[in-house]
Amino acid sequence: MFVQVGYDLIYPNIPLPAVFKIILIAAFTFAVALGIVWLLSLNRVTRKVVM
């Protein structure tokens, strides 16, 4: 899901070669996933599941 959002946001709007767009989409997806895991780790109940 995050890859599709990254593709929709980055691919048509940033004038870079395709290789750099793919790397940028991967970095965006990783950052979003990392942010979600960090937010889940803040809650005591979900921390046990995430960690």
Side-chain angles (χ1 to χ4, degrees):
M1 181 173 113
F2 303 127
V3 174
Q4 185 64 44
V5 171
Y7 180 83
D8 290 341
L9 290 175
I10 294 170
Y11 208 82
N13 298 324
I14 298 178
L16 291 173
V19 173
F20 294 119
K21 288 181 183 181
I22 292 170
I23 293 170
L24 192 59
I25 291 168
F28 171 78
T29 304
F30 178 77
V32 169
L34 186 65
I36 290 172
V37 170
W38 177 74
L39 286 173
L40 286 172
S41 71
L42 294 178
N43 188 342
R44 185 170 20 120
V45 175
T46 57
R47 185 180 312 139
K48 293 178 183 177
V49 176
V50 173
M51 299 302 193

